[in-house]
Amino acid sequence: MYKWKRQFLSGPYVVWIAGFIILPILTIFYYGITDSSGSFTLANIFAIAEPIHMKALLLSLKLALLCTAFCLILSYPLAMILNNLHLKQQSFVVFIFVLPMWMNFMLRILAWQLLLSNNGILNTILEGLGMPKLQLLNTPSAVVFGMVYDFLPFMILPIYNAMGRIQRDVVDAARDLGASELQVFLKIILPLTISGVISGIIMVFVPALTSFVISNLLGGGKVLLIGNVIEQEFMQNMDWNMGSGLSIVLMIFVVASMAFMNAHGSEEGGGAVW
Amino acid sequence: MVKKIGGRIYLGIIFLFLYLPILVLLILSFNNSKSRVAWGGFTAKWYVSMFQNDTIMDAFAMTLKITLTASILATIIGTLAAIGIQAMRRRGKAILIGATNIPLLNADIVTGISMMLLFVRFTKLGFSTVLIAHLTFDIPYVILNVLPKLNQASRSAYEAALDLGATPFYAFYKIVWPDIRPGVFSGFLMAITMSLDDFSITYFTKGPGVNTLSTMLYTELRKGIKPEMYALSALLFGIALALLLIMNYRSSKKNDINN
């Protein structure tokens, strides 16, 4: 009797899910598979094959992969180093990486505009050293740079958490039994942190793939990602059906990348270790 | 030893990468010249003109209003939902947790657009649509922070309290609440972080006249950089630093007592 009552506490949330999670997705699907007169068509979805859309999608995939790779390469050793410090206050580490996030995202991008622009700080330093100026702003590299800066905490924190959960006894036991540093890493640390790596990859890859603001502000309108194309369909061309169709394609890519990562995660048994 | 020094250097480089841009903004906020590279003497005038700038101040007030309303409501709805979900059978639990993951995993741009498409059918875009959108992506963070704590909480102590005549509410407050409180608090913090920093979803669900700092800055940045924005950065950084330090201090004091 009592248990039955307790479930009702999630009642408001169930209504919320139906109204504001499920219904919007159904709406975007409805727009995506109809034309402006409301009759069924798949043209909006197949519009992804148009050269300009395809180019944007491929560029998005490329930059998102680069960004994820850089974040992973930077984060993994960082998490290991942080973990080896054996800080008493683990929350301090979280604090350092969350603090920039409390300052507005736009202002962080603004800072990179200042650093990377043609007459900006980096180029002034280069000039002072007698080196040639670099065209940094308004290039795909600037966009990747901004993405790495913005999404790095999402990679560091899950890996660091996974490392913190490894019991030192396990590592000590392996060493006692004669494992080399490399073996300890490959046989213990890597398998036990792979779940953190996977959630990090998902948390970085998806926003990087779908971002449109960073490319807009650091790419100067010259770097057109799939997110920019969708945003323009809605805000400038007012073609909601086309925008929805392309959004569905984007969603398919998001779901596919997550399914891919999760499948590989469970193969290696990382997700279900504890 | 070499490894240790190398590690420290690596930490330093990453730290610099994270904080150098912020440092640049802080320095420029006191720069008397409008130049981005030359130091023209110390001034506080950008702070004065920032506080006199209605666009910035309105957006600041709106951001606080939306962030606080959304994160407080999300904490209440989310905590109740987590308690309900935990009491459910396996299938209902799986379905609700699956649905909870959708806003977290879906692309922000798609979440924002899909809500906009729904909202414009029934109502005008404005403050309430932004609030609903923020609640929708805040609640999952609360649930996912509270559920693990609920699973760790001892059921037998709660049932014992009921057997000894406590009302369910009293038993909850005395026994379950202390166990889940850290989860509720970290869920609340994550909701604040996400609301404060959101751009994409607000951008698509807001109506004319409603601007958070993110959407206001997006419009202004495309027109050009104004020195007041440096002052705003410094102000926001100061607030964030102060709040996070207070919370860190409080939690470390609690740890000391527990030890």
Side-chain angles (χ1 to χ4, degrees):
Chain A
M1 176 64 199
Y2 136 78
K3 245 197 149 177
W4 180 80
K5 268 198 305 203
R6 212 154 68 113
Q7 292 167 7
F8 273 69
L9 288 175
S10 52
Y13 181 58
V14 172
V15 176
W16 199 277
I17 289 178
F20 301 120
I21 295 179
I22 308 295
L23 206 54
I25 290 180
L26 294 179
T27 316
I28 203 168
F29 268 94
Y30 170 77
Y31 275 96
I33 55 167
T34 52
D35 60 20
S36 52
S37 64
S39 49
F40 176 78
T41 174
L42 285 175
N44 299 316
I45 291 173
F46 289 130
I48 191 65
E50 283 172 27
I52 183 165
H53 296 158
M54 205 32 135
K55 204 179 139 205
L57 180 65
L58 291 178
L59 185 63
S60 301
L61 283 169
K62 186 178 140 196
L63 297 192
L65 280 174
L66 275 175
C67 165
T68 314
F70 281 130
C71 281
L72 186 59
I73 293 168
L74 288 175
S75 302
Y76 204 91
L78 184 74
M80 278 180 89
I81 294 167
L82 284 172
N83 194 47
N84 287 337
L85 290 179
H86 300 297
L87 295 172
K88 243 185 169 177
Q89 284 280 314
Q90 301 260 320
S91 60
F92 180 70
V93 174
V94 179
F95 171 83
I96 285 181
F97 293 106
V98 169
L99 181 59
M101 285 171 73
W102 275 40
M103 214 183 79
N104 200 282
F105 160 70
M106 289 294 161
L107 293 169
R108 283 178 280 150
I109 299 292
L110 160 71
W112 281 110
Q113 281 188 335
L114 293 171
L115 279 161
L116 299 178
S117 72
N118 277 342
N119 300 313
I121 292 156
L122 279 181
N123 269 325
T124 312
I125 294 171
L126 283 180
E127 232 182 352
L129 295 172
M131 286 194 270
K133 279 193 176 187
L134 293 174
Q135 168 70 38
L136 295 165
L137 200 60
N138 304 342
T139 62
S141 335
V143 177
V144 175
F145 219 86
M147 285 177 175
V148 171
Y149 181 71
D150 221 49
F151 303 139
L152 192 61
F154 295 125
M155 184 69 89
I156 293 172
L157 294 177
I159 298 179
Y160 176 68
N161 282 336
M163 277 203 195
R165 282 196 296 267
I166 298 178
Q167 287 171 4
R168 293 194 67 192
D169 300 350
V170 182
V171 178
D172 289 343
R175 288 214 177 104
D176 287 348
L177 294 171
S180 67
E181 286 293 312
L182 185 70
Q183 279 174 320
V184 170
F185 177 75
L186 289 178
K187 297 275 180 189
I188 295 178
I189 299 183
L190 194 61
L192 289 182
T193 49
I194 206 83
S195 61
V197 170
I198 285 168
S199 41
I201 290 178
I202 291 174
M203 280 167 81
V204 170
F205 184 75
V206 171
L209 180 69
T210 60
S211 152
F212 67 98
V213 187
I214 298 175
S215 47
N216 221 331
L217 294 173
L218 293 179
K222 291 186 189 122
V223 181
L224 204 63
L225 300 185
I226 188 71
N228 299 92
V229 173
I230 293 174
E231 190 247 354
Q232 282 173 9
E233 290 297 341
F234 277 94
M235 295 309 201
Q236 287 162 31
N237 303 346
M238 295 295 166
D239 190 344
W240 290 10
N241 302 95
M242 173 75 86
S244 301
L246 296 176
S247 300
I248 293 171
V249 176
L250 189 59
M251 249 193 285
I252 293 170
F253 269 87
V254 170
V255 172
S257 61
M258 279 186 302
F260 176 80
M261 284 318 295
N262 285 330
H264 281 249
S266 51
E267 259 170 37
E268 287 161 57
V273 167
W274 294 117
Chain B
M1 193 60 205
V2 175
K3 212 176 143 193
K4 208 170 173 187
I5 294 172
R8 292 284 155 92
I9 293 173
Y10 189 75
L11 274 185
I13 292 173
I14 299 280
F15 192 78
L16 201 68
F17 175 62
L18 281 174
Y19 283 93
L20 181 72
I22 297 175
L23 185 71
V24 168
L25 292 175
L26 291 186
I27 293 172
L28 286 177
S29 76
F30 294 109
N31 187 4
N32 202 5
S33 124
K34 273 199 174 185
S35 159
R36 295 173 195 179
V37 285
W39 179 249
F42 180 89
T43 180
K45 68 179 174 192
W46 306 126
Y47 288 86
V48 177
S49 62
M50 169 189 65
F51 282 110
Q52 287 164 348
N53 185 322
D54 284 343
T55 318
I56 294 179
M57 285 298 122
D58 288 350
F60 190 55
M62 182 60 78
T63 305
L64 285 184
K65 200 166 134 190
I66 288 173
T67 302
L68 286 178
T69 321
S71 40
I72 291 170
L73 286 177
T75 307
I76 297 168
I77 301 175
T79 306
L80 290 177
I83 295 168
I85 289 173
Q86 205 229 358
M88 280 180 183
R89 274 176 231 274
R90 188 170 274 239
R91 245 208 15 224
K93 212 183 235 181
I95 292 172
L96 281 192
I97 292 178
T100 302
N101 276 318
I102 294 176
L104 298 183
L105 299 175
N106 206 348
D108 279 357
I109 182 173
V110 177
T111 308
I113 287 172
S114 62
M115 295 194 114
M116 176 194 78
L117 290 174
L118 177 73
F119 290 153
V120 292
R121 299 207 134 208
F122 298 102
T123 173
K124 268 192 183 152
L125 297 178
F127 175 78
S128 48
T129 51
V130 176
L131 187 63
I132 290 175
H134 275 237
L135 274 167
T136 306
F137 68 78
D138 280 346
I139 295 173
Y141 285 102
V142 178
I143 293 180
L144 294 183
N145 273 290
V146 176
L147 259 185
K149 297 281 173 198
L150 273 173
N151 289 333
Q152 285 165 18
S154 137
R155 275 212 62 86
S156 40
Y158 177 75
E159 272 155 16
L162 290 184
D163 288 345
L164 294 171
T167 62
F169 183 78
Y170 186 78
F172 171 81
Y173 179 70
K174 280 286 177 188
I175 293 175
V176 183
W177 177 244
D179 280 341
I180 65 168
R181 196 171 48 198
V184 174
F185 189 65
S186 54
F188 176 64
L189 276 190
M190 281 197 82
I192 290 188
T193 311
M194 293 301 151
S195 270
L196 213 53
D197 210 38
D198 175 68
F199 169 76
S200 309
I201 295 172
T202 315
Y203 178 66
F204 286 107
T205 52
K206 82 185 185 71
V210 179
N211 259 321
T212 62
L213 282 174
S214 301
T215 57
M216 180 275 290
L217 284 166
Y218 183 65
T219 320
E220 294 293 316
L221 273 182
R222 292 204 291 185
K223 290 185 208 155
I225 300 169
K226 295 196 191 90
E228 285 85 354
M229 291 176 191
Y230 310 145
L232 179 65
S233 318
L235 179 73
L236 291 178
F237 185 73
I239 295 174
L241 185 65
L243 283 176
L244 285 172
L245 278 179
I246 292 169
M247 286 179 317
N248 221 38
Y249 176 72
R250 277 193 48 188
S251 67
S252 67
K253 235 170 78 177
K254 228 178 275 160
N255 282 342
D256 290 345
I257 292 166
N258 290 342
N259 291 340

